[in-house]
Amino acid sequence: LGVYEMGYDLVCRACGRHTKQDVFRCPHCNGILDCRFDLEDPPRYRSILQGAKGFWDYRPFFPVAGERPVSLGEGNTPLVAAPRLASQLGMQGVYVKNEGMNPSGTFKDRCQSIAYTKAQEMAAPATIIGSAGNAGAAAAAYAAASGIPCFVVVPADTNMERLAQTLQYGANLIRVQGNVSDCIELLETVCKERGWQDMTTAHSHNPFQGEGTKTIAYELARDMEWDVPDWIIVPIGGGGILSSIYKGYQEMYTLGLIPRMPKMAGVQEAGCAAVAEAFEKGAAPQAIQRVQNPTGVAVAIKDAYPLDGETALQAIYDSGGVAARVTAGQIAQAQGELGRSCGVFAEPASAATVAALFKLREAGVVQKEDRAVCIITGNGLKDAGFALQQILQPPAIPMSQAALNAQIDQLLGN
Ligand SMILES: *Cc1c(COP(=O)(O)O)cnc(C)c1O
Ligand SMILES: [Zn+2]
């Protein structure tokens, strides 16, 4: 293997050279690689996107042969209309794309389905990933599905839900006294020395996995009948998901399937906001600065350095969008609003999109006639502890009809 007759090239961001080899960095200058699909024969590609009923129906848009996909039923997540949230916001249309419905509970399953299919096609002896917990759990799941060994490197303070899941999928778990950016930086030498594949969900570490995430855009367009929302609101950790959703829309625009591009709103938490800070200064994407001591409750987006921050900020600028930051309190409040108004339970990083929508609406950035989609990247069960801190656990009552009635009356405020 090594050279495929597939409709894509890997293109180097630094020197611009193309290659058809399966490599993770540019063979000429070690630059970061992007998959670029030629999309010649637009009618064929349009009909694939129009007819797709599930994730692997998008196979011609993936950088894999894909004869034996490593799949657990990822993607094809529900787009949920949120009319009560919309009326609270004074808006026409608000929707949430519930990525928490993926097999391991986050959109990272889209990434790892592609990454492990590629690893299988390249006969990788083993895989390793640096993660804040969700990408690692997803890697562990797809490693189990493929039978390829997997090492997951996470910050020592990663919560129980993510650790338990990763261990139950049978991965080798390594906890490091550092943050997620530290974990990721440790991998390069290990991969080089051992010949393992890096499954970290950043283009600089794995140029293939991000092509899974762009299917969020394909599904949105299909489910909105080829109309485009005014805003797509996405959390930024490394910036990969925002960049990939934008790329998916660009491909559809190039193919003439959609009439215009959406505006991208990227959301970070106040104590870890490298991209928002650059945006506020109007700085160039290359000028994004690493955060020294990242803090916050939204651990899935607590990346000190956003590895895909440049492409994310460029997408924000190009689309006429914004980068916003929200506080832990706003996230907690938004998690409750989303749960009560739509029945969707989001983890803090994902509830941040709803918090940002409230903030952007108040600031008049998002208008009342606009339609917005919040990407709920992960399931609330990924961080049960956070949710429990926001509510009062009810007392345990005696097992009697009288006690039950008394408790109901109390809840009714009687
Ligand atoms: C990984 C992750 C993000 C951030 O994605 P990036 O591609 O790193 O920007 C957001 N939310 C959840 C739940 C995640 O797991
Ligand atoms: Zn190069």
Side-chain angles (χ1 to χ4, degrees):
L1 292 175
V3 180
Y4 289 93
E5 283 309 313
M6 281 184 269
Y8 76 98
D9 282 4
L10 289 169
V11 183
C12 176
R13 281 186 203 171
C15 74
R17 286 189 176 93
H18 291 225
T19 177
K20 280 205 174 279
Q21 282 169 47
D22 281 330
V23 287
F24 281 55
R25 295 290 283 247
C26 175
H28 306 285
C29 76
N30 201 39
I32 298 170
L33 298 171
D34 286 304
C35 296
R36 191 173 300 162
F37 290 79
D38 59 33
L39 305 181
E40 275 162 29
D41 195 1
R44 172 174 172 252
Y45 283 102
R46 277 200 296 269
S47 77
I48 291 163
L49 292 177
Q50 286 165 327
K53 297 200 163 47
F55 184 80
W56 278 96
D57 292 339
Y58 297 118
R59 198 202 53 77
F61 293 82
F62 294 153
V64 294
E67 276 149 27
R68 279 196 310 135
V70 181
S71 175
L72 289 166
E74 55 288 334
N76 228 10
T77 56
L79 179 66
V80 180
R84 281 192 284 145
L85 197 56
S87 75
Q88 252 175 288
L89 283 151
M91 287 178 67
Q92 306 263 329
V94 177
Y95 303 83
V96 300
K97 173 97 169 137
N98 189 3
E99 289 294 300
M101 295 287 287
N102 276 295
S104 84
T106 72
F107 81 90
K108 298 295 197 315
D109 293 336
R110 297 180 191 264
C111 306
Q112 298 304 348
S113 181
I114 300 297
Y116 276 89
T117 300
K118 194 68 182 175
Q120 193 174 66
E121 292 176 359
M122 292 174 73
T127 55
I128 188 165
I129 179 169
S131 160
N134 286 340
Y142 286 82
S146 68
I148 301 172
C150 177
F151 292 78
V152 176
V153 183
V154 296
D157 63 3
T158 302
N159 72 4
M160 277 301 160
E161 291 86 336
R162 296 180 176 98
L163 297 182
Q165 197 181 12
T166 302
L167 288 166
Q168 284 289 0
Y169 291 137
N172 304 285
L173 182 67
I174 299 170
R175 294 166 62 225
V176 173
Q177 292 167 357
N179 63 41
V180 58
S181 301
D182 302 327
C183 291
I184 293 169
E185 279 155 24
L186 287 172
L187 307 185
E188 198 179 326
T189 354
V190 176
C191 287
K192 217 170 266 164
E193 287 172 5
R194 296 177 189 263
W196 292 359
Q197 276 193 17
D198 189 338
M199 310 309 255
T200 302
T201 54
H203 277 79
S204 49
H205 288 253
N206 186 310
F208 306 110
Q209 49 75 32
E211 303 308 300
T213 315
K214 70 187 179 183
T215 56
I216 292 174
Y218 303 162
E219 292 171 14
L220 280 174
R222 181 199 62 194
D223 294 345
M224 300 185 91
E225 282 157 5
W226 311 101
D227 198 359
V228 176
D230 300 282
W231 293 94
I232 298 190
I233 307 178
V234 189
I236 295 181
I241 179 174
L242 190 146
S243 307
S244 292
I245 291 174
Y246 194 66
K247 182 179 188 177
Y249 272 104
Q250 276 178 320
E251 289 176 346
M252 290 187 287
Y253 188 73
T254 304
L255 289 168
L257 260 177
I258 51 168
R260 63 200 163 87
M261 293 291 289
K263 290 191 274 265
M264 304 300 296
V267 187
Q268 297 194 289
E269 190 173 348
C272 186
V275 177
E277 196 168 308
F279 177 83
E280 286 154 14
K281 290 185 191 148
Q286 297 76 12
I288 293 170
Q289 298 290 317
R290 186 187 181 107
V291 174
Q292 281 320 319
N293 292 298
T295 57
V297 297
V299 294
I301 52 172
K302 216 166 88 182
D303 299 53
Y305 182 72
L307 286 167
D308 288 309
E310 280 190 43
T311 47
L313 186 53
Q314 194 62 56
I316 289 168
Y317 283 143
D318 290 348
S319 70
V322 294
R325 44 174 126 193
V326 294
T327 64
Q330 289 167 332
I331 288 172
Q333 203 178 338
Q335 185 183 43
E337 297 288 0
L338 180 65
R340 288 188 295 273
S341 65
C342 333
V344 172
F345 184 29
E347 74 161 90
S350 314
T353 60
V354 175
L357 183 53
F358 275 98
K359 190 175 167 177
L360 294 170
R361 182 75 190 95
E362 249 161 57
V365 177
V366 172
Q367 315 274 307
K368 80 171 193 301
E369 60 277 5
D370 285 350
R371 293 203 302 167
V373 178
C374 292
I375 309 295
I376 303 305
T377 47
N379 197 305
L381 295 171
K382 283 282 192 163
D383 195 342
F386 178 82
L388 269 174
Q389 281 163 25
Q390 316 307 321
I391 54 174
L392 285 176
Q393 227 193 124
I397 60 166
M399 199 190 69
S400 77
Q401 205 67 61
L404 176 60
N405 274 319
Q407 188 65 15
I408 290 171
D409 281 337
Q410 197 189 321
L411 289 167
L412 288 171
N414 294 338

